[in-house]
Structures are given as structure tokens and as C-alpha cells.
Amino acid sequence: MRESVNLISGFTRVLYNLLTSSRSHQAALIIFSGMGLADFLFRFLVFPVYTEFLFSIGAKPVWSELDAGFAPIVWLVFFTIILGSLTIVITFAAQNVPKLIDLYMDHWTSLLFVWWSAACLVHSLTIKLFAEAGVNIVPSLIFNFHVLLAVSLIIGFPFILSILKSTKTSNVIENLLAGSYQSFNDLANKGATANISEKEHAKIQQKLFEELNQLMDLLVYVPYKEPKAHVVEGIGELLQHYVKLKHKIPESLFKINQRIEEDISFRTMKSLLVEVEKSKTFYEQKSFRLIGNAYNIFLESGEFDLSSLCADQLSQVGKTAIECNDQELIEVITVRMNTYFRFALKHAQHYNEPRNLYNLVFHYGQFLGHLTESHQVDRVKTCIGHFVFYGQQCFNSISSAPSLSFILDVIAFEIQKLLINVYKNKWDREIQKELLLKFLLFDNFQDVDRDFARNFFSQNHGIRLLHIGLALFYLEQKEDEFTNTIATDTMQDLKLFGESLFTKTMKTIFTRLEISGPKFWEDTDRGNLNIYYTPYQNQIKSFIKIQDELKLKTEKTIPA
């Protein structure tokens, strides 16, 4: 349960921040200095003109009869209203938005107006003391009554309403993100060769981490999906902005200091901190760990759209890293994608729920597509190897979580798309062949019980549908070698199934390929794309002919 609203505690925190914050001290200095200067200018420049103006319009003010005694009471009431309203609004809002008091006590507008009210009160008290001492305070008294009080009454309540509006969760999120954007822009303006002092270094990193922590706290405390999505998208877009500016940011910012070592996200990574410093990824690592924690929470709470959004933002940051050729960050993102895969796979195994994996594979596939477009061959090969590994894990879990059989098809579909893409982009044939052989492993995993495999693949045709769909594409391109490789691989089914079941299974597969359209008849999180559809149905007979020729050769090697 959340704690009850404690106005006394809230007031104490507000007062403490006002009296101890360095920014609050700066705001106080600005306001008191400005008010003293304004009083001086009014006394010698404005007051004579103002008096003359009043007489010119027929007014005959008797300044000596003005009473300064009630002014402190008026200002004390005004100051109490402003400070009390600020405390009440922020304290109540802080029940839903954690650390809001700390945020708004570092907010220039709030600090300036509170100190404005305090300075007006002090100004009126000073006038009263000077009046009792017999000093001529008429100009200051007029300045207090006719200027300060009028201005305060005009802007006072709109200020309270603006604070009330700014405590809306979406505005709090925007303020936190804006602070980080400003920090990165300021750092980029310094230039990569600029030197940052140790004190400034620690201050910047603390500010960046606190803003991230506050954003992630919102994911825990706020019950609504819209603010949570706002936070995830906001952090993703912030990271993309940061990655683009990274080469302009001073090198000294990336040094690991005590602030990073003591941060909760890095306490279990102390042995890796040297690598984090070398790769200049402390901020990305912090962000990814926090988003990873949120991803786990969304998995457990069944918020599929939010968990998918986490993977989407990771993929988008990956795209930006690829565009900026940040190889260290690309490696970090690949590891995080695999970590998400482990989280989602564990959840799917426990609940027999493939939806999160389905969405994750799609976004992982997008990231893989970006790597393919930038021709990062080694990373593509590595990621395909990860796909094969997780495919094996899914297959091993089918007996306890049958829905994972569909995930095998989804992973295979992403690899099929990639193979078509690399063929069109004319990658080296040896690399294409290597990737194709990994693709064909999806119905030939290691250490699989033969009877289980026979029963499973005779009923679940998705993998073979995608294999043969790719072969039809190759036939359309008149690519005989890769077509024969796939056709030869299908002959393993003949050995596994036997003649009768093999013929029946292939007939079913070819029928599905012939009748399948580009759209599925139901909607999914990824729309209604039919992953088994092939536009090259005209090549089915040609593939059957190749298969029949191989079948004759194979039958001769199968013992009677």
C-alpha cells in the first residue's frame, strides 16, 4: 500500500530543499538582489515621475498618511498561500509520482516565485522597521503597494495553476527527459576534447542517473499504460539522441567514477567496469538494465504491448548505433536482445504463452535487418547462430509448452526474410550457403529423440513450408545450387517418415503453399501477415520434379 498523504512531512521537505539547495540559494540571490536594485531605481527614477503623473490627473495623494503597519500581514498571508499551495499540490501529486518534491524544488520557476514571495515579505518588514525609525520610506512603500503587490496578485494564482498542471504525469516525464536532453546538448557543445573537472563529472553523471531512476520509478508507481509507454518511448528516443551526439561529448565523461560503481545497476558488474569504460557505454548499460527490469515486470503482468515496446525501442537504438557505426554499442544491444529472449523464453516455458516471444522475434528480426542493410556480415552470422540456439531451446520445451512450436516458425520466417534479402543484395555465395545451412537446422536439431521428431514434424509443417517457400524463391531466380540444397535436405524427411507418411506430408505442404494468401484471417500483434505465404507458387511443380529425382536416388540408399 502507498503511504498516506503527510502534509507536515511534505512541508518539511519543501522547506529543507529551499534552505539547502544550491540552486535555491542562487534563486534567492537573484530575487533579493533584483528587488533591492528595483527599489533603488524606483526611488530615484520612477517615483518622481509617478508622483507627477498622479498630480497631473487630479489626484492629490498624501504620502505621509500612508500606514505601513499592515503590509507585513498582507505579505505573510500571501507568502503562506503560495508556499502552502505549492506544498499541498506537490505532496498530493507525489503520492502517484515519486520524488516529485525533489524535482520541483530544483525547478527554476518554482524557486524564483517562492523566493519572490519571501522577498516581498522581507521588503515589507524592512519598510515597517525603517518607518518606526523615522526614515523616509514613502517611495519604497509605494513600490511595495503599487508595484510588488499588484504584480504578485496578477501572477500568484496562475503560478499555482501552472504548478498543478505541471504535476500531471506526462508533464513530469517530459520535464525529466528535457533535463537529460539539455545535459547532452550542453556536453556536445563543449566538444570531445573539452576537459570536465572531477566535481562537474560526478555532478553530471549523478543528474543523468537520477533522472533515469525517477523515470523508472514511474513505471512502478503509475498504474496506467499511457505514462508507462511514454517513459519507455522517451528513454528510447533519448538514447537515440545521445548516440548521435556521443562523438561530440567530452571523453572524460565516460570515465568510471565512484558514482557509477555505487549505482545499483553496476554493483553486480564491477568486474566489467573496465570494459564499460573502454566501450563508453555506461549510460546505455544503465538504461538497458532499467528497461530490462521493466520488460520482466511487463512479462509477469501480462502487458504484452508494453513488453513489445521495450523490444522495439531496443531495436530502434540498435538502428541508430548501426547508422553511427558504434560497434561497441551494437555488441551491447545484441547481448540485451539475447537477454530479452531468455526472459521471454522462460516466461513462455512457464505459462505456455508465446505472445511475448512472437513480438520479440519480430523486433530482433528488425535489428537483424538493419545489420544486414549495413553489410555487417560477422554480426549477422552471429545473430543467426543465436536464433538457431534459441530455436533449439524452444524445440526442447515443446513437450511442456506446446505453443512454442509456433515460435520455431516465426524464427525461421525471420531467417527466410534475411536470406532473400542477402541474395538480392548479392552477398558472397559462401556466406549465403553458410546461412542457408543454419536455416536448414531448424528441423534437424541436435540430440532429438527420433520418435518425438517424427511425430512432431509430421503434424507441424511450418518449418518445411518456410524451407520450401525459400526454395521456390530460388527457383524463380534460377538459382539451382541453393534450390538443390533445400530439396536434398527434405529427403531427410523421407528417411524419418517413410514413403507413405513423407508423400502425405509433402502433399499437405504443397497444398498449403498453393492456397495460402498474403494475409492471415485473424489479427495479431504484428498485423495479419501470413508468414507461410509465397508469391512463387508457379514454381511448385518444378520443385516437386527436383524432389522426385532426389527421391529416386534416396530410395536406393534406404534399406528395404
Side-chain angles (χ1 to χ4, degrees), residues 295 299 304-305 307-315 333-346 348 354-368 387 390 394 407 410-411 414 525-526:
Y295 184 73
L299 291 180
F304 302 102
D305 43 2
S307 62
S308 179
L309 186 60
C310 291
D312 172 58
Q313 291 304 311
L314 187 61
S315 176
I333 290 172
T334 303
V335 171
R336 295 312 302 179
M337 277 290 187
N338 293 335
T339 305
Y340 282 17
F341 212 120
R342 175 58 61 190
F343 290 159
L345 179 57
K346 182 179 178 181
R355 191 172 177 182
N356 290 296
L357 270 176
Y358 174 57
N359 292 329
L360 176 61
V361 172
F362 171 78
H363 294 299
Y364 202 150
Q366 285 188 318
F367 174 62
L368 192 53
F387 270 10
Y390 288 117
C394 290
I407 299 303
V410 175
I411 298 174
E414 293 298 332
D525 291 341
R526 305 268 65 86

Side-chain angles (χ1 to χ4, degrees), residues 165-179:
K165 180 181 178 181
S166 64
T167 57
K168 185 179 177 182
T169 305
S170 60
N171 291 329
V172 173
I173 295 170
E174 286 297 331
N175 285 335
L176 289 169
L177 291 170

Side-chain angles (χ1 to χ4, degrees), residues 39 113 211 235 249 314 373 392 441 449 506 511 521 540 551:
D39 184 279
F113 195 78
E211 286 167 346
I235 293 178
I249 291 176
L314 187 61
E373 290 172 6
Q392 173 91 56
L441 288 175
D449 180 78
M506 285 299 157
T511 300
W521 59 82
I540 291 177
K551 185 179 175 183

Side-chain angles (χ1 to χ4, degrees), residues 396-463:
N396 293 342
S397 302
I398 286 174
S399 57
S400 58
S403 63
L404 287 178
S405 60
F406 176 61
I407 299 303
L408 286 175
D409 298 356
V410 175
I411 298 174
F413 172 64
E414 293 298 332
I415 301 178
Q416 184 202 61
K417 285 196 305 184
L418 182 140
L419 285 167
I420 292 174
N421 193 11
V422 299
Y423 184 85
K424 290 180 177 179
N425 288 309
K426 296 180 172 54
W427 279 29
D428 182 82
R429 290 187 64 82
E430 288 301 315
I431 295 173
Q432 291 190 59
K433 187 173 182 179
E434 181 182 348
L435 296 175
L436 175 59
L437 292 175
K438 288 184 178 181
F439 179 47
L440 296 176
L441 288 175
F442 270 75
D443 64 345
N444 190 27
F445 291 116
Q446 297 178 351
D447 304 321
V448 176
D449 180 78
R450 182 180 177 85
D451 291 335
F452 179 82
R454 184 177 189 274
N455 180 60
F456 176 79
F457 287 113
S458 64
Q459 298 179 45
N460 297 272
H461 308 139
I463 300 296

